[in-house]
Structure formats: structure tokens, C-alpha cells
Amino acid sequence: MIKPLKKAVLPVAGLGTRFLPATKAMPKEMLPVVDKPLIQYAIDEARAAGIEEFCLITARGKDNLIDYFDVAYELEATLRGRNKVSAIEALESSSVEAGSLVAVRQQNPLGLGHAIWCARNFIGTDPFAILLPDDIVKGGRSCIAQLADVYRQTGGNVLAVNEVPPEWTDRYGVLLPGEDDGKRVEVKGLVEKPAPADAPSNLAIIGRYILTADVLEPLSHLKQGVGGEVQLTDAMAELIGKVPFHGLRYEGTRFDCGSKLGFLEAQIAMAVDREDLGQDVRAFLKKYI
Ligand code: UTP
């Protein structure tokens, strides 16, 4: 029986070094794209897939990520007193049902695999989604909802994948593809950050996954991989052949907001599509280019 997907893990414990000094005293995941922090995009996408249980993997200095999902009594009372209806409405998406969001500390940033292992008690034996908030996927249906569609058909593990320029394989987890219908691709192997010459393909994993709890066993060995980090890709690779494993070429455009260029692109792409901003942003861009 294929278990329903109800849970999501959102790792937010990284150091965010590429955004220093901005991230010295503020989590990268709270950086706004137009007017919503990155973490809110990930939560909205998960909700659109019917997920309502969230686990944030946080770190020291990142508590305002948890505060963000709390009720802001004083602010709301002040806004109500001033009849600021649209401002009150803007706060709505950042509230979660009591008890539906938990946070776990990853005491040391030992890698994404370690971050997921820190969520083992939340995961239990259930399937779960992983959303890395520094990736935003714009357009079409929620990316994780697209993966959930495949999961409901195949069970097992489903990864969002994307063709990347061959010279970029050393930035991603890369697939050894099996049967491929142009959209859905069987995963026969996975390699983390291979040099272009050694890469089994240019099909890369982006920050969206649906995994079964089977991955917790290989993760529990906390084996260090590329860069001395506990790599999620290595743990997933150990499961291939034992449980179904598929990649999905999702619909939508992904922005890597963990990089400066991707973050700027996301700002522009989101802003030009907004009814309240689009026209002005286009005019402004013309002026500067
Ligand atoms: P990144 O590879 O982007 O690392 O992590 P980072 O530390 O956030 O940023 P840079 O490279 O130093 O600029 C991808 C995702 O995995 C989480 C991050 O918070 C981010 O959401 N992560 C990474 C953890 O939660 N723990 C880790 O040990 C590493």
C-alpha cells in the first residue's frame, strides 16, 4: 500500500555563506523575494500539495524563522486599530495551525543528509517531502504536488530533476538515467557533484524530493561524502534497486536563490508578473539596461 504524503521537512540550518554579510544576523531563508521570505514560498508550495505537517531543521541564530510562523498579537492589534485590512490579510499565509510546525536543531552544519537525519523522529515510518527553500519553482502547479502525483502512482522515491549545462554537474546530485519517457525517468544511480568528465548525465536534482523513511537507515551511518558533508545523495544511492526511484522533469522555472544571480533573477521574474508592480518594474528595467 502506498502511504499518503502528509509531511514535509524544510532544512534551513545551512550557513548561507554566499550571502554574507546579509546572512550574518538573518537566516538566508528569511530573505524576501519581492515581499515574501523564501521559507514562505516553500510552505505555500507544500500546502498546495496537501501537506500540513512541517519540520524545520534550524540552527543557532535562526530562531526568527520560528517566530515568523507565530501569531504577531501586537502587530495585528495595531493594524486592526488602524483598519489596515490588506496588511492584516498579508499576514495570513504566515500563520500555521497550532501543532503543525515543529523545529529541530541541527547543532552543526554537517550537510544536507545530516539535516534530514535530524528529522528522523518527526518522519517516523512515513513518506515525506523535502523542500530546500533556497530553490523557488515558479509557474505551473506546485512542483512538490507534481512529484506527489508520481509518488501516488509509483510509490517509493521521486526527485525533481532538470537538465543543466554539462559543465555544471559538479554543483548538483546527478542521475544515472534508466528508462526515460521524456518526462519521468527511472533512476539507476546517483552521484553527488561529479566532475563533468565523470558525470553519468546532465540530469540534476533540484531542491525538491519525496522520499520514503527507508532513507533514514543509510543516513544513520553518517558517512561523510563530497566536501566532508553527510550527503543525502549518497544515502539515496544506497536504496536504488531496493525501492522504486524516479526523477520527474517538472513543469515550471526553478530559481536558485542560494546564489546571488539566481536570487536576483527570481526577484525580477516574480516582480514583472505582479499586477501591482509588473508595469513599473518593466519600465524601470528598460531605463537601466
Ligand atoms: P546550501 O548548499 O545552499 O548551503 O544548502 P548553505 O549553507 O545554505 O549556503 P552556502 O552554500 O554557504 O551559501 C542547501 C540547503 O540545505 C540546508 C540549507 O539551509 C539550505 O536550505 N542545509 C545545508 C542544512 O540544513 N544543513 C546543512 O548542514 C547544510
Side-chain angles (χ1 to χ4, degrees):
M1 197 197 78
I2 296 175
K3 285 190 175 182
L5 178 71
K6 295 275 176 213
K7 297 181 175 177
V9 178
L10 298 105
V12 292
L15 296 174
T17 54
R18 284 170 290 173
F19 274 94
L20 285 170
T23 48
K24 182 181 168 193
M26 179 172 84
K28 172 175 71 175
E29 299 77 10
M30 284 301 291
L31 293 175
V33 170
V34 187
D35 50 11
K36 271 197 318 189
L38 290 171
I39 188 74
Q40 183 72 61
Y41 286 90
I43 293 278
D44 290 347
E45 187 187 318
R47 280 179 171 153
I51 295 171
E52 279 297 341
E53 291 176 52
F54 303 102
C55 179
L56 300 185
I57 311 298
T58 65
R60 283 183 297 285
K62 294 198 154 191
D63 287 353
N64 57 3
L65 273 161
I66 303 165
D67 293 340
Y68 175 77
F69 291 103
D70 206 340
V71 176
Y73 282 110
E74 278 181 30
L75 176 61
E76 283 178 26
T78 308
L79 293 175
R80 263 196 301 275
R82 294 181 186 175
N83 204 22
K84 300 261 185 199
V85 180
S86 61
I88 296 168
E89 280 168 8
L91 287 176
E92 267 167 25
S93 60
S94 64
S95 71
V96 294
E97 198 195 334
S100 66
L101 185 136
V102 298
V104 170
R105 281 270 175 107
Q106 183 190 25
Q107 288 100 332
N108 287 303
L110 300 180
L112 178 59
H114 182 258
I116 300 303
W117 181 74
C118 289
R120 62 196 179 282
N121 292 334
F122 168 78
I123 296 165
T125 57
D126 292 326
F128 61 103
I130 301 173
L131 296 97
L132 305 188
D134 37 10
D135 271 344
I136 288 186
V137 186
K138 178 178 180 291
R141 279 187 75 209
S142 146
C143 180
I144 211 77
Q146 296 176 48
L147 299 192
D149 289 345
V150 177
Y151 167 77
R152 277 190 288 273
Q153 291 165 19
T154 61
N157 303 276
V158 190
L159 315 174
V161 299
N162 208 357
E163 258 97 14
V164 297
E167 63 275 20
W168 286 6
T169 56
D170 56 2
R171 306 178 187 183
Y172 296 96
V174 174
L175 264 65
L176 170 63
E179 248 178 70
D180 188 347
D181 68 6
K183 212 167 171 228
R184 193 186 299 182
V185 50
E186 182 196 358
V187 181
K188 293 206 113 173
L190 287 168
V191 192
E192 182 64 21
K193 299 190 174 66
D198 306 323
S201 74
N202 66 334
L203 260 187
I205 310 169
I206 69 147
R208 299 290 185 271
Y209 313 65
I210 292 176
L211 300 180
T212 63
D214 300 290
V215 78
L216 296 175
E217 200 286 318
L219 279 179
S220 70
H221 304 144
L222 302 180
K223 207 168 71 191
Q224 291 180 359
V226 177
E229 295 193 347
V230 180
Q231 297 289 354
L232 178 61
T233 306
D234 296 342
M236 294 191 300
E238 287 191 38
L239 298 177
I240 294 168
K242 298 175 191 156
V243 279
F245 236 110
H246 292 92
L248 177 74
R249 292 184 183 83
Y250 56 92
E251 283 168 22
T253 307
R254 169 239 182 193
F255 297 96
D256 174 10
C257 296
S259 77
K260 293 182 183 88
L261 194 59
F263 184 67
L264 291 171
E265 270 187 272
Q267 300 283 359
I268 294 166
M270 292 292 181
V272 295
D273 266 10
R274 289 260 301 239
E275 253 176 50
D276 57 338
L277 287 172
Q279 219 179 357
D280 290 345
V281 173
R282 279 172 210 275
F284 159 93
L285 287 172
K286 275 198 196 119
K287 187 171 127 192
Y288 281 90
I289 293 167

